[in-house]
mmCIF file of all heavy atoms in Angstrom:
data_model
loop_
_atom_site.group_PDB
_atom_site.id
_atom_site.type_symbol
_atom_site.label_atom_id
_atom_site.label_comp_id
_atom_site.label_asym_id
_atom_site.label_seq_id
_atom_site.Cartn_x
_atom_site.Cartn_y
_atom_site.Cartn_z
ATOM 1 N N PRO A 1 109.795 98.595 117.372
ATOM 2 C CA PRO A 1 109.314 98.303 118.755
ATOM 3 C C PRO A 1 108.063 99.084 119.112
ATOM 4 O O PRO A 1 107.876 100.216 118.700
ATOM 5 C CB PRO A 1 110.509 98.690 119.617
ATOM 6 C CG PRO A 1 111.668 98.656 118.746
ATOM 7 C CD PRO A 1 111.182 99.047 117.395
ATOM 8 N N ILE A 2 107.163 98.422 119.906
ATOM 9 C CA ILE A 2 105.880 99.008 120.172
ATOM 10 C C ILE A 2 106.046 100.318 120.914
ATOM 11 O O ILE A 2 105.315 101.308 120.641
ATOM 12 C CB ILE A 2 105.057 98.010 121.023
ATOM 13 C CG1 ILE A 2 104.796 96.683 120.303
ATOM 14 C CG2 ILE A 2 103.675 98.636 121.349
ATOM 15 C CD1 ILE A 2 104.077 96.851 118.990
ATOM 16 N N GLY A 3 106.998 100.398 121.814
ATOM 17 C CA GLY A 3 107.186 101.656 122.565
ATOM 18 C C GLY A 3 107.513 102.815 121.701
ATOM 19 O O GLY A 3 106.990 103.954 121.913
ATOM 20 N N VAL A 4 108.308 102.578 120.628
ATOM 21 C CA VAL A 4 108.664 103.669 119.705
ATOM 22 C C VAL A 4 107.396 104.077 118.911
ATOM 23 O O VAL A 4 107.110 105.237 118.676
ATOM 24 C CB VAL A 4 109.738 103.185 118.777
ATOM 25 C CG1 VAL A 4 110.016 104.237 117.698
ATOM 26 C CG2 VAL A 4 111.074 102.837 119.552
ATOM 27 N N LEU A 5 106.617 103.093 118.453
ATOM 28 C CA LEU A 5 105.401 103.463 117.680
ATOM 29 C C LEU A 5 104.442 104.241 118.462
ATOM 30 O O LEU A 5 103.816 105.192 118.027
ATOM 31 C CB LEU A 5 104.692 102.075 117.249
ATOM 32 C CG LEU A 5 105.339 101.321 116.140
ATOM 33 C CD1 LEU A 5 104.582 100.001 115.866
ATOM 34 C CD2 LEU A 5 105.385 102.161 114.815
ATOM 35 N N THR A 6 104.222 103.829 119.768
ATOM 36 C CA THR A 6 103.272 104.513 120.610
ATOM 37 C C THR A 6 103.593 105.986 120.860
ATOM 38 O O THR A 6 102.688 106.807 120.882
ATOM 39 C CB THR A 6 103.116 103.779 121.942
ATOM 40 O OG1 THR A 6 102.797 102.399 121.701
ATOM 41 C CG2 THR A 6 102.030 104.379 122.822
ATOM 42 N N GLU A 7 104.827 106.215 121.032
ATOM 43 C CA GLU A 7 105.300 107.563 121.379
ATOM 44 C C GLU A 7 105.401 108.487 120.102
ATOM 45 O O GLU A 7 105.385 109.748 120.233
ATOM 46 C CB GLU A 7 106.610 107.566 122.089
ATOM 47 C CG GLU A 7 106.641 106.835 123.436
ATOM 48 C CD GLU A 7 105.718 107.543 124.390
ATOM 49 O OE1 GLU A 7 105.712 108.812 124.374
ATOM 50 O OE2 GLU A 7 105.071 106.878 125.116
ATOM 51 N N SER A 8 105.478 107.917 118.955
ATOM 52 C CA SER A 8 105.755 108.731 117.679
ATOM 53 C C SER A 8 104.448 109.285 117.160
ATOM 54 O O SER A 8 103.456 108.666 117.128
ATOM 55 C CB SER A 8 106.382 107.824 116.657
ATOM 56 O OG SER A 8 106.582 108.565 115.449
ATOM 57 N N GLU A 9 104.506 110.595 116.751
ATOM 58 C CA GLU A 9 103.426 111.194 116.001
ATOM 59 C C GLU A 9 103.453 110.898 114.553
ATOM 60 O O GLU A 9 102.510 111.133 113.781
ATOM 61 C CB GLU A 9 103.497 112.726 116.161
ATOM 62 C CG GLU A 9 103.149 113.245 117.535
ATOM 63 C CD GLU A 9 101.697 113.137 117.828
ATOM 64 O OE1 GLU A 9 100.874 113.045 116.906
ATOM 65 O OE2 GLU A 9 101.330 113.067 119.018
ATOM 66 N N THR A 10 104.544 110.205 114.101
ATOM 67 C CA THR A 10 104.703 109.799 112.652
ATOM 68 C C THR A 10 105.090 108.324 112.606
ATOM 69 O O THR A 10 106.258 107.990 112.258
ATOM 70 C CB THR A 10 105.737 110.658 111.936
ATOM 71 O OG1 THR A 10 107.010 110.597 112.697
ATOM 72 C CG2 THR A 10 105.285 112.122 111.856
ATOM 73 N N PRO A 11 104.208 107.410 113.039
ATOM 74 C CA PRO A 11 104.628 105.997 113.194
ATOM 75 C C PRO A 11 105.085 105.307 111.889
ATOM 76 O O PRO A 11 106.021 104.512 111.951
ATOM 77 C CB PRO A 11 103.315 105.307 113.698
ATOM 78 C CG PRO A 11 102.223 106.275 113.301
ATOM 79 C CD PRO A 11 102.787 107.671 113.379
ATOM 80 N N LEU A 12 104.511 105.647 110.760
ATOM 81 C CA LEU A 12 104.899 104.988 109.545
ATOM 82 C C LEU A 12 106.265 105.445 109.090
ATOM 83 O O LEU A 12 106.983 104.705 108.413
ATOM 84 C CB LEU A 12 103.874 105.210 108.453
ATOM 85 C CG LEU A 12 102.453 104.717 108.722
ATOM 86 C CD1 LEU A 12 101.589 104.741 107.464
ATOM 87 C CD2 LEU A 12 102.478 103.277 109.287
ATOM 88 N N LEU A 13 106.643 106.661 109.417
ATOM 89 C CA LEU A 13 107.968 107.168 109.138
ATOM 90 C C LEU A 13 108.986 106.349 109.879
ATOM 91 O O LEU A 13 110.093 106.089 109.444
ATOM 92 C CB LEU A 13 108.099 108.639 109.476
ATOM 93 C CG LEU A 13 109.503 109.277 109.333
ATOM 94 C CD1 LEU A 13 109.958 109.149 107.909
ATOM 95 C CD2 LEU A 13 109.409 110.730 109.709
ATOM 96 N N GLU A 14 108.633 105.908 111.099
ATOM 97 C CA GLU A 14 109.577 105.022 111.854
ATOM 98 C C GLU A 14 109.855 103.744 111.182
ATOM 99 O O GLU A 14 110.963 103.184 111.287
ATOM 100 C CB GLU A 14 108.983 104.793 113.332
ATOM 101 C CG GLU A 14 108.661 105.992 114.094
ATOM 102 C CD GLU A 14 109.801 106.901 114.389
ATOM 103 O OE1 GLU A 14 110.948 106.334 114.443
ATOM 104 O OE2 GLU A 14 109.611 108.108 114.596
ATOM 105 N N VAL A 15 108.858 103.212 110.509
ATOM 106 C CA VAL A 15 109.071 101.979 109.722
ATOM 107 C C VAL A 15 110.123 102.137 108.668
ATOM 108 O O VAL A 15 111.026 101.320 108.453
ATOM 109 C CB VAL A 15 107.757 101.446 109.117
ATOM 110 C CG1 VAL A 15 107.968 100.204 108.284
ATOM 111 C CG2 VAL A 15 106.706 101.212 110.174
ATOM 112 N N VAL A 16 109.982 103.261 107.907
ATOM 113 C CA VAL A 16 110.982 103.556 106.863
ATOM 114 C C VAL A 16 112.356 103.751 107.400
ATOM 115 O O VAL A 16 113.357 103.293 106.826
ATOM 116 C CB VAL A 16 110.483 104.761 106.051
ATOM 117 C CG1 VAL A 16 111.497 105.161 104.980
ATOM 118 C CG2 VAL A 16 109.145 104.585 105.427
ATOM 119 N N ARG A 17 112.403 104.420 108.540
ATOM 120 C CA ARG A 17 113.756 104.618 109.162
ATOM 121 C C ARG A 17 114.410 103.368 109.623
ATOM 122 O O ARG A 17 115.579 103.115 109.475
ATOM 123 C CB ARG A 17 113.622 105.622 110.303
ATOM 124 C CG ARG A 17 113.358 107.065 109.893
ATOM 125 C CD ARG A 17 113.008 107.934 111.129
ATOM 126 N NE ARG A 17 112.939 109.320 110.722
ATOM 127 C CZ ARG A 17 112.366 110.271 111.482
ATOM 128 N NH1 ARG A 17 111.854 109.960 112.654
ATOM 129 N NH2 ARG A 17 112.319 111.508 111.081
ATOM 130 N N GLU A 18 113.573 102.517 110.260
ATOM 131 C CA GLU A 18 114.137 101.208 110.806
ATOM 132 C C GLU A 18 114.419 100.225 109.716
ATOM 133 O O GLU A 18 115.347 99.478 109.777
ATOM 134 C CB GLU A 18 113.093 100.644 111.770
ATOM 135 C CG GLU A 18 112.909 101.416 113.055
ATOM 136 C CD GLU A 18 114.076 101.207 114.037
ATOM 137 O OE1 GLU A 18 114.776 100.150 113.927
ATOM 138 O OE2 GLU A 18 114.337 102.114 114.883
ATOM 139 N N GLY A 19 113.477 100.137 108.707
ATOM 140 C CA GLY A 19 113.634 99.116 107.677
ATOM 141 C C GLY A 19 114.621 99.432 106.592
ATOM 142 O O GLY A 19 115.198 98.553 105.955
ATOM 143 N N ALA A 20 114.806 100.729 106.295
ATOM 144 C CA ALA A 20 115.822 101.080 105.259
ATOM 145 C C ALA A 20 116.646 102.311 105.681
ATOM 146 O O ALA A 20 116.529 103.433 105.127
ATOM 147 C CB ALA A 20 115.025 101.375 103.979
ATOM 148 N N PRO A 21 117.430 102.123 106.741
ATOM 149 C CA PRO A 21 118.165 103.281 107.269
ATOM 150 C C PRO A 21 119.215 103.854 106.265
ATOM 151 O O PRO A 21 119.578 105.024 106.413
ATOM 152 C CB PRO A 21 118.955 102.651 108.479
ATOM 153 C CG PRO A 21 119.041 101.213 108.175
ATOM 154 C CD PRO A 21 117.794 100.911 107.424
ATOM 155 N N GLY A 22 119.623 103.090 105.301
ATOM 156 C CA GLY A 22 120.624 103.602 104.356
ATOM 157 C C GLY A 22 120.009 104.399 103.254
ATOM 158 O O GLY A 22 120.743 105.037 102.453
ATOM 159 N N LEU A 23 118.690 104.356 103.105
ATOM 160 C CA LEU A 23 118.028 105.116 102.029
ATOM 161 C C LEU A 23 117.623 106.488 102.575
ATOM 162 O O LEU A 23 117.148 106.608 103.691
ATOM 163 C CB LEU A 23 116.819 104.345 101.509
ATOM 164 C CG LEU A 23 117.067 102.976 100.880
ATOM 165 C CD1 LEU A 23 115.769 102.330 100.501
ATOM 166 C CD2 LEU A 23 117.952 103.145 99.641
ATOM 167 N N PRO A 24 117.679 107.563 101.681
ATOM 168 C CA PRO A 24 117.302 108.839 102.057
ATOM 169 C C PRO A 24 115.797 109.062 101.920
ATOM 170 O O PRO A 24 115.306 110.190 102.037
ATOM 171 C CB PRO A 24 118.074 109.737 101.038
ATOM 172 C CG PRO A 24 118.163 108.891 99.880
ATOM 173 C CD PRO A 24 118.314 107.462 100.366
ATOM 174 N N ILE A 25 115.039 107.967 101.741
ATOM 175 C CA ILE A 25 113.593 108.105 101.488
ATOM 176 C C ILE A 25 112.841 108.691 102.703
ATOM 177 O O ILE A 25 111.759 109.224 102.587
ATOM 178 C CB ILE A 25 113.011 106.684 101.137
ATOM 179 C CG1 ILE A 25 111.643 106.847 100.451
ATOM 180 C CG2 ILE A 25 112.904 105.783 102.343
ATOM 181 C CD1 ILE A 25 111.643 107.485 99.129
ATOM 182 N N ASP A 26 113.444 108.479 103.883
ATOM 183 C CA ASP A 26 112.749 109.043 105.061
ATOM 184 C C ASP A 26 112.650 110.565 105.064
ATOM 185 O O ASP A 26 111.851 111.127 105.830
ATOM 186 C CB ASP A 26 113.411 108.571 106.346
ATOM 187 C CG ASP A 26 114.777 109.157 106.586
ATOM 188 O OD1 ASP A 26 115.521 109.271 105.579
ATOM 189 O OD2 ASP A 26 115.109 109.595 107.681
ATOM 190 N N THR A 27 113.425 111.240 104.185
ATOM 191 C CA THR A 27 113.332 112.663 104.070
ATOM 192 C C THR A 27 112.154 113.030 103.198
ATOM 193 O O THR A 27 111.654 114.194 103.239
ATOM 194 C CB THR A 27 114.639 113.290 103.476
ATOM 195 O OG1 THR A 27 114.845 112.715 102.172
ATOM 196 C CG2 THR A 27 115.787 112.917 104.393
ATOM 197 N N ILE A 28 111.732 112.129 102.285
ATOM 198 C CA ILE A 28 110.652 112.369 101.424
ATOM 199 C C ILE A 28 109.313 111.966 102.001
ATOM 200 O O ILE A 28 108.250 112.577 101.802
ATOM 201 C CB ILE A 28 110.869 111.615 100.015
ATOM 202 C CG1 ILE A 28 112.186 112.081 99.433
ATOM 203 C CG2 ILE A 28 109.733 111.837 99.101
ATOM 204 C CD1 ILE A 28 112.547 111.280 98.184
ATOM 205 N N PHE A 29 109.306 110.822 102.752
ATOM 206 C CA PHE A 29 108.057 110.266 103.227
ATOM 207 C C PHE A 29 107.172 111.204 104.060
ATOM 208 O O PHE A 29 105.945 111.200 103.896
ATOM 209 C CB PHE A 29 108.428 109.028 104.067
ATOM 210 C CG PHE A 29 107.165 108.208 104.438
ATOM 211 C CD1 PHE A 29 106.621 107.328 103.544
ATOM 212 C CD2 PHE A 29 106.565 108.352 105.724
ATOM 213 C CE1 PHE A 29 105.472 106.573 103.865
ATOM 214 C CE2 PHE A 29 105.471 107.604 106.013
ATOM 215 C CZ PHE A 29 104.921 106.724 105.088
ATOM 216 N N PRO A 30 107.712 112.035 104.969
ATOM 217 C CA PRO A 30 106.853 112.956 105.696
ATOM 218 C C PRO A 30 106.015 113.899 104.721
ATOM 219 O O PRO A 30 104.942 114.201 104.992
ATOM 220 C CB PRO A 30 107.818 113.793 106.543
ATOM 221 C CG PRO A 30 109.018 112.908 106.718
ATOM 222 C CD PRO A 30 109.162 112.147 105.418
ATOM 223 N N PHE A 31 106.685 114.326 103.618
ATOM 224 C CA PHE A 31 105.977 115.205 102.696
ATOM 225 C C PHE A 31 104.908 114.440 101.903
ATOM 226 O O PHE A 31 103.852 114.986 101.541
ATOM 227 C CB PHE A 31 106.976 115.836 101.758
ATOM 228 C CG PHE A 31 108.022 116.708 102.490
ATOM 229 C CD1 PHE A 31 109.259 116.221 102.794
ATOM 230 C CD2 PHE A 31 107.668 117.932 102.920
ATOM 231 C CE1 PHE A 31 110.141 116.943 103.467
ATOM 232 C CE2 PHE A 31 108.546 118.774 103.592
ATOM 233 C CZ PHE A 31 109.879 118.222 103.891
ATOM 234 N N MET A 32 105.134 113.109 101.643
ATOM 235 C CA MET A 32 104.084 112.303 101.070
ATOM 236 C C MET A 32 102.882 112.201 101.999
ATOM 237 O O MET A 32 101.753 112.237 101.537
ATOM 238 C CB MET A 32 104.623 110.885 100.739
ATOM 239 C CG MET A 32 105.783 110.924 99.711
ATOM 240 S SD MET A 32 106.438 109.227 99.429
ATOM 241 C CE MET A 32 105.079 108.374 98.662
ATOM 242 N N THR A 33 103.163 112.007 103.283
ATOM 243 C CA THR A 33 102.113 111.923 104.271
ATOM 244 C C THR A 33 101.397 113.269 104.384
ATOM 245 O O THR A 33 100.103 113.281 104.449
ATOM 246 C CB THR A 33 102.738 111.673 105.644
ATOM 247 O OG1 THR A 33 103.476 110.451 105.596
ATOM 248 C CG2 THR A 33 101.656 111.503 106.734
ATOM 249 N N MET A 34 102.063 114.354 104.226
ATOM 250 C CA MET A 34 101.400 115.675 104.283
ATOM 251 C C MET A 34 100.449 115.854 103.101
ATOM 252 O O MET A 34 99.314 116.361 103.311
ATOM 253 C CB MET A 34 102.498 116.783 104.261
ATOM 254 C CG MET A 34 103.258 116.903 105.531
ATOM 255 S SD MET A 34 104.815 117.877 105.299
ATOM 256 C CE MET A 34 104.287 119.366 104.606
ATOM 257 N N PHE A 35 100.814 115.389 101.960
ATOM 258 C CA PHE A 35 99.863 115.456 100.794
ATOM 259 C C PHE A 35 98.605 114.587 101.088
ATOM 260 O O PHE A 35 97.469 115.034 100.794
ATOM 261 C CB PHE A 35 100.550 114.920 99.536
ATOM 262 C CG PHE A 35 101.356 116.015 98.800
ATOM 263 C CD1 PHE A 35 102.697 116.027 98.777
ATOM 264 C CD2 PHE A 35 100.633 117.001 98.057
ATOM 265 C CE1 PHE A 35 103.419 117.038 98.108
ATOM 266 C CE2 PHE A 35 101.380 117.964 97.370
ATOM 267 C CZ PHE A 35 102.697 118.002 97.412
ATOM 268 N N ALA A 36 98.846 113.438 101.706
ATOM 269 C CA ALA A 36 97.734 112.518 101.883
ATOM 270 C C ALA A 36 96.757 113.122 102.881
ATOM 271 O O ALA A 36 95.564 113.089 102.639
ATOM 272 C CB ALA A 36 98.249 111.198 102.425
ATOM 273 N N VAL A 37 97.217 113.718 104.017
ATOM 274 C CA VAL A 37 96.309 114.210 105.012
ATOM 275 C C VAL A 37 95.768 115.614 104.712
ATOM 276 O O VAL A 37 94.733 116.001 105.121
ATOM 277 C CB VAL A 37 96.951 114.214 106.386
ATOM 278 C CG1 VAL A 37 97.414 112.806 106.762
ATOM 279 C CG2 VAL A 37 98.131 115.199 106.468
ATOM 280 N N ALA A 38 96.494 116.362 103.824
ATOM 281 C CA ALA A 38 96.056 117.668 103.403
ATOM 282 C C ALA A 38 94.725 117.542 102.650
ATOM 283 O O ALA A 38 93.836 118.372 102.804
ATOM 284 C CB ALA A 38 97.113 118.395 102.554
ATOM 285 N N ASN A 39 94.675 116.605 101.742
ATOM 286 C CA ASN A 39 93.455 116.361 100.980
ATOM 287 C C ASN A 39 92.295 116.043 101.935
ATOM 288 O O ASN A 39 91.167 116.523 101.767
ATOM 289 C CB ASN A 39 93.651 115.225 99.982
ATOM 290 C CG ASN A 39 92.436 115.025 99.071
ATOM 291 O OD1 ASN A 39 91.956 116.015 98.588
ATOM 292 N ND2 ASN A 39 92.024 113.790 98.863
ATOM 293 N N SER A 40 92.544 115.238 102.943
ATOM 294 C CA SER A 40 91.493 114.875 103.939
ATOM 295 C C SER A 40 90.988 116.186 104.657
ATOM 296 O O SER A 40 89.797 116.317 104.800
ATOM 297 C CB SER A 40 92.028 113.877 104.948
ATOM 298 O OG SER A 40 91.077 113.617 105.920
ATOM 299 N N ALA A 41 91.897 117.016 105.042
ATOM 300 C CA ALA A 41 91.494 118.187 105.792
ATOM 301 C C ALA A 41 90.705 119.143 104.870
ATOM 302 O O ALA A 41 89.654 119.720 105.232
ATOM 303 C CB ALA A 41 92.727 118.930 106.316
#
């Protein structure tokens, strides 16, 4: 939902949580994001 996306600081993590709630991948995804943005910084 748009409201959830707007309020979240980690919008793509919300997709993983909503689309695959039974998978533990949402515990890994934030760290993948951290690697991605760390290189940018």
Side-chain angles (χ1 to χ4, degrees):
I2 301 300
V4 176
L5 285 177
T6 305
E7 296 298 324
S8 177
E9 288 290 337
T10 55
L12 300 192
L13 177 57
E14 303 299 335
V15 178
V16 179
R17 287 172 175 165
E18 291 284 337
L23 296 178
I25 196 67
D26 68 318
T27 61
I28 302 173
F29 189 79
F31 299 98
M32 297 176 68
T33 304
M34 286 161 56
F35 273 106
V37 301
N39 186 43
S40 177

